[in-house]
Amino acid sequence: MQKTARQSRPAAQPPGRPREFDMDTALDGAIRVFCERGYHATSIGDLTAAMRLATGSVYKAFCDKHAVFVAAFERYVSVRREQTRSAAARGANGREQLRNVLLTYVENSQGSEGRRGCIVVGSAVELSAVDPVIRARVTAQLKTNESFIAGLIREGQADGSVPDHVEADDTARLMICVTQGLRVVGKARLPLDGERLVGVAMKLLA
């Protein structure tokens, strides 16, 4: 039985000493390997190769693997949040905004990105039961996504693109089940007909 990952925080950068690498670029490399392999199957060697850093540089910046994972998780959700909000903003009303969000999930669940997987879904499956630090982050992210979707539904009700009888909170919870399920299906490399699937999901707003 594997031990729970030791909980830790990234080490503070010594004052007056500039970091010798771009943090976001390094974390993007860590995200790729964590998404592909999961937490436990990823070694420090895998991380140094993916982040293009020497082992000493990783330990100086993060202390341990768990701290790298926490930082990678935060970087991942930040980037995804920006992508999702940008996609929604292209919609003319609440209904179109939600449709754009669902299409973004489908797009991210296909091809190499889909096969790589989602660090939030992977964390929920692999770590939430044994790591309270990661469980709190997974829960917070899912609640944030659910609240965002519920907000789009209510916006659609306000602009007339979504019927008033649609229960915003319950429908948003079901949409979260759909979006996270898409990432699981994409990781399993099953084909996804994006337009058809999103069309079915949008019937929840009928």
Side-chain angles (χ1 to χ4, degrees), residues 13 20 22 74 108 116 127-128 138 147 152 168 170 178 182 187:
Q13 186 74 6
E20 298 175 353
D22 182 78
E74 295 299 326
N108 289 333
R116 182 174 298 123
L127 296 174
S128 283
V138 169
S147 177
L152 294 180
D170 290 344
V178 171
L182 283 170
K187 181 73 170 178

Side-chain angles (χ1 to χ4, degrees), residues 1-204:
M1 180 177 180
Q2 290 178 308
K3 296 181 179 179
T4 303
R6 181 160 63 90
Q7 298 162 16
S8 55
R9 297 179 180 177
Q13 186 74 6
R17 181 178 179 181
R19 185 174 281 120
E20 298 175 353
F21 61 90
D22 182 78
M23 178 64 75
D24 288 344
T25 300
L27 288 176
D28 287 343
I31 288 168
R32 286 192 294 273
V33 71
F34 279 132
C35 284
E36 290 170 356
R37 300 175 62 86
Y39 179 83
H40 291 299
T42 298
S43 68
I44 287 293
D46 295 327
L47 287 172
T48 58
M51 299 170 79
R52 298 184 178 181
L53 297 175
T55 302
S57 296
V58 172
Y59 282 121
K60 284 179 182 178
F62 300 101
C63 291
D64 58 18
K65 185 175 79 168
H66 191 270
V68 178
F69 188 83
V70 170
F73 187 101
E74 295 299 326
R75 165 72 175 165
Y76 179 92
V77 299
S78 176
V79 171
R80 284 285 182 261
R81 185 182 303 117
E82 183 177 344
Q83 291 176 348
T84 302
R85 271 52 174 180
S86 295
R90 294 193 292 270
N93 54 47
R95 186 183 190 88
E96 287 187 8
Q97 289 179 45
L98 181 52
R99 186 175 185 275
N100 288 346
V101 169
L102 293 177
L103 286 171
T104 297
Y105 272 95
V106 172
E107 181 180 352
N108 289 333
S109 300
Q110 299 184 91
S112 60
E113 181 70 17
R115 292 191 297 273
R116 182 174 298 123
C118 169
I119 201 170
V120 177
V121 173
S123 298
V125 174
E126 183 183 10
L127 296 174
S128 283
V130 295
D131 188 328
V133 171
I134 301 304
R135 179 170 63 247
R137 281 169 167 76
V138 169
T139 300
Q141 184 58 30
L142 292 178
K143 286 183 176 180
T144 295
N145 292 348
E146 184 177 319
S147 177
F148 179 64
I149 290 174
L152 294 180
I153 293 172
R154 291 191 175 94
E155 185 172 336
Q157 290 173 328
D159 63 36
S161 61
V162 176
D164 289 337
H165 66 78
V166 173
E167 216 304 316
D169 292 331
D170 290 344
T171 304
R173 175 64 57 88
L174 186 54
M175 288 285 191
I176 286 296
C177 295
V178 171
T179 57
Q180 302 312 294
L182 283 170
R183 299 312 308 265
V184 173
V185 170
K187 181 73 170 178
R189 306 189 181 193
L190 297 179
L192 295 170
D193 186 332
E195 290 290 338
R196 179 178 296 181
L197 290 174
V198 171
V200 172
M202 292 300 291
K203 290 181 179 179
L204 294 170

